[in-house]
Every structure is written in C-alpha cells, then in structure tokens.
Amino acid sequence: MKKRLLSGMRPTGQLHLGHYVGALENWVELQQTYQNFHLIADYHVLTTDLDTSQVEANTLEMLKDWLAAGIDPEISPIFRQSQIKEHAELFLILAMLITTARLERNPTLKEQVRDLKIEKLVYGHLGYPVLQAADILLYKGELVPVGEDQAPHVEICRELARKFNSTYGKVFPEPAPKLTPFARLPGLDGRAKMSKSLGNAVLLSDEPDVIQRRLRKAFTDPLKLRKNDPGRPDICLIFTYHKKFNPSETTEIRAGCESGALGCVECKQRCGTVIAEQLAPLRERRRQYDQQPDRLWEILHAGEERARLEARETMGQVREAMGLG
Ligand code: TRP
C-alpha cells in the first residue's frame, strides 16, 4: 500500500512562485508515489487573524492555484479543515498530552511573534502545532512535506503521537517530515523570503508582461551599475531564479555576468521569459477553472466526503483506545 502523505496550507489568497517551488511542485510530483491528502487549514488562519471575511475567497483562489499546479483531485482529496468536526475533537484530546512549556519553546511560534509583532498571544495560537498534529494524525499521515520553518511542528506531532500511543495504546504512526529540495526562493527585493504581503512576489497567475515588469524592478548586484560592469551572480537573486527555472543556461549566464558581456536588463528579460513559459500551463488550467466555479465546490465537497470517512474511522479508534466508546 502507498504511504500516506498529509500536506496543508493556510488559505491566504493567491499563491506565488515561492509556494510553487517550496511546496506545490513537490506535492504534484509526490502524488503518484504516495497517497496524498491536501488540507486547507482554514481554522489555522484564526490564530493570527480574526477577520474571516476573506477566508472563503482566499480558499477558492488557493484551490485554483493547487489545481493549476497539477494536483489531481481524483487521486488526492482536497478538503477544508473546518468542514470536518473530528479536527476539533482530536485537537481537544491532544491538548491534554503536551505542556504549555513545550509549546512556548516552539521556535516557529517565536519567529511569528517577532515578525508579526504580536504583543499578547492568544491561547489558540500557542496550540497551533497541536491543531496541526490533529490534522496529520486524523489521516494517519506518515509523511509531511514541509519547509524548514514547519519542521518543529512535525516534531511536536511526533511527540504527541508517541505520548498518545504509550498512554492509551497504539493508534498513530509517527509521521516524518519530508523537506522540500529547493526550500526557499528569495523575494524580488532581495529579502530571504518571497511573500505577497511584502510585495516582492511573482504570482502563479501573473501574465507574461506582468512577470517581466516585476522582474525589471528586482534587486540585483548593487555593484553592477552599468551593463559592462562585472557582476557577482552568487549574490544576485535573478541568478538564483535562473538556477531554478533555467538550469541549462546558467553556465553561460554566469560567464556573461562576471565578464560584463551580459547586462542586467537582458538577463532579467531572459529570466522572465523562462518563468512565464513554465507558468503557461498553470495559467491555462487556472483559466479553465475560472470558467467553472461550480466545479471548485464539487471538488471540495467530494474531497471532504473522503476525508470525513477517514477522520471518523480514526476518531473511533481513538475513543476505543481511551475507553470513551
Ligand atoms: N502550518 C502549516 C503552514 O503554515 C499549514 C498546516 C496546517 C499544515 N496543518 C497542516 C501543514 C498539516 C502540514 C500538515 O504552512
């Protein structure tokens, strides 16, 4: 039998190249080898934002990007966390199996508190990884594809699985993180991470002219002011993009940049062209779904039905192990 893989994202709207490289592309590739479950973590949005007015629209945008990237909903169910009550139920039980001190040590939480300047942490945010563990364990996920920032959450999930199994009897496998090979794509402004809210992203749905325009403004080697100045590809984010999207030309581009023969304008244009080409099939698939919004709801409802069956079965086993049947 194929191993279970559980992947998830919070619905924050349209996705960008960073999501593609860091997660989606990998999910699509893995869908033949593993049995994938794709979770839309809409409850998790509440940990940092109580305004729910955009959740539905963001969910649909994200779903379109997932489908555009090539996730096949016939093979891999896609479902919303909020539509399956068992997430809340298992979350409650797991919350008893971990100390607040352990959750306060979570480095991902500390980073979020710092980046989002959170002054007072809500109780539910402290429990973020506990809810995530419920997401994974309900479907008996064995592998969780994640970027580095999520690895601590998978570790907490493993601890919770062990604690449950040793206290009540073995119900859960211990899931392993599956780190994405090309984990992080820098943003267009040179910051370490691409992010829509920082305005330094190429969206998966961007048309070719938009991609070119965004790249034109991108940050490059500050010492390469004119075309003939020698550049340093290793510190240039455009070169990082070439390495990812244009590997067959990197040797020539490196030489051209270092000698000064290749200017930034042309280098960016070539980069934009290959990115636009690689996103063309995604744009096309996205367009098809734009024309049939009902299909999106059908996909969600079908995925939720499949997920619900699994979740119910696992909760039955949990209750039985605990003598709460
Ligand atoms: N915390 C994940 C993120 O921000 C999203 C997520 C929620 C998740 N539940 C999950 C990821 C379960 C993997 C498995 O990216």
Side-chain angles (χ1 to χ4, degrees):
M1 245 191 14
K2 286 182 179 172
K3 279 198 176 184
R4 251 324 140 75
L5 183 142
L6 197 294
S7 59
M9 260 187 217
R10 278 172 295 167
T12 51
Q14 288 194 353
L15 303 184
H16 54 64
L17 272 185
H19 293 114
Y20 185 65
V21 170
L24 274 181
E25 189 184 30
N26 198 29
W27 295 5
V28 171
E29 202 178 299
L30 297 171
Q31 75 183 339
Q32 308 301 338
T33 325
Y34 300 99
Q35 168 64 62
N36 292 7
F37 276 68
H38 296 297
L39 170 108
I40 298 176
D42 50 0
Y43 273 152
H44 271 114
V45 174
L46 294 169
T47 59
T48 52
D49 191 357
L50 294 178
D51 178 1
T52 49
S53 61
Q54 297 307 308
V55 171
E56 183 177 304
N58 286 345
T59 295
L60 294 176
E61 288 305 323
M62 185 169 87
L63 173 60
K64 273 189 269 179
D65 281 327
W66 285 8
L67 297 166
I71 289 176
D72 181 344
E74 304 285 328
I75 305 181
S76 317
I78 301 177
F79 56 100
R80 290 165 295 169
Q81 187 184 37
S82 66
Q83 299 308 302
I84 293 155
K85 292 193 171 46
E86 284 77 5
H87 286 261
E89 208 178 341
L90 186 56
F91 168 67
L92 181 147
I93 291 167
L94 296 179
M96 311 300 167
L97 304 177
I98 188 163
T99 64
T100 51
R102 173 68 182 94
L103 292 169
E104 280 158 0
R105 279 204 310 273
N106 170 16
T108 306
L109 179 71
K110 287 186 190 164
E111 247 174 61
Q112 262 188 347
V113 166
R114 191 191 60 217
D115 294 349
L116 303 174
K117 302 189 173 58
I118 295 171
E119 277 167 18
K120 291 183 181 154
L121 193 67
V122 295
Y123 174 56
H125 195 171
L126 184 65
Y128 187 117
V130 183
L131 182 56
Q132 184 163 345
D135 299 340
I136 299 166
L137 298 179
L138 264 185
Y139 305 96
K140 300 201 172 164
E142 294 164 276
L143 286 163
V144 186
V146 285
E148 273 164 58
D149 63 320
Q150 293 293 315
H153 291 171
V154 180
E155 184 51 38
I156 290 176
C157 180
R158 292 165 63 84
E159 290 170 23
L160 282 165
R162 272 200 297 274
K163 179 75 179 173
F164 184 96
N165 290 344
S166 64
T167 311
Y168 298 112
K170 184 163 175 9
V171 171
F172 299 118
E174 260 180 60
K178 189 162 176 55
L179 288 173
T180 357
F182 207 101
R184 224 171 230 199
L185 204 63
L188 293 166
D189 56 358
R191 277 196 253 206
K193 207 171 168 179
M194 195 175 264
S195 139
K196 200 171 70 158
S197 56
L198 293 174
N200 65 3
V202 174
L203 299 184
L204 295 183
S205 55
D206 279 344
E207 295 292 335
D209 59 324
V210 178
I211 297 176
Q212 290 291 2
R213 198 167 66 230
R214 291 194 200 271
L215 283 183
R216 239 176 276 142
K217 290 192 222 137
F219 192 80
T220 53
D221 180 354
L223 293 182
K224 185 170 165 68
L225 296 174
R226 279 173 229 88
K227 178 181 171 209
N228 297 327
D229 293 344
R232 295 167 295 171
D234 292 317
I235 64 149
C236 180
L237 67 97
I238 297 291
F239 191 68
T240 309
Y241 295 176
H242 275 296
K243 278 196 279 193
K244 168 63 196 161
F245 297 102
N246 192 18
S248 65
E249 293 186 339
T250 48
T251 311
E252 181 226 319
I253 288 169
R254 173 186 287 285
C257 175
E258 284 175 345
S259 74
L262 176 66
C264 293
V265 174
E266 185 191 336
C267 180
K268 284 174 166 180
Q269 206 209 344
R270 283 169 62 178
C271 185
T273 304
V274 289
I275 292 177
E277 269 167 17
Q278 287 179 40
L279 293 181
L282 280 79
R283 279 196 304 278
E284 178 49 36
R285 273 195 294 266
R286 196 175 213 281
R287 239 190 309 273
Q288 288 169 15
Y289 284 106
D290 274 333
Q291 286 160 6
Q292 34 177 347
D294 292 351
R295 181 78 193 109
L296 297 175
W297 287 108
E298 280 165 27
I299 287 170
L300 285 178
H301 292 147
E304 284 155 11
E305 223 166 278
R306 274 172 76 183
R308 199 170 288 124
L309 286 176
E310 295 286 333
R312 271 197 198 139
E313 168 143 6
T314 305
M315 266 321 290
Q317 293 166 2
V318 166
R319 288 175 160 280
E320 195 180 310
M322 296 178 77
L324 297 173

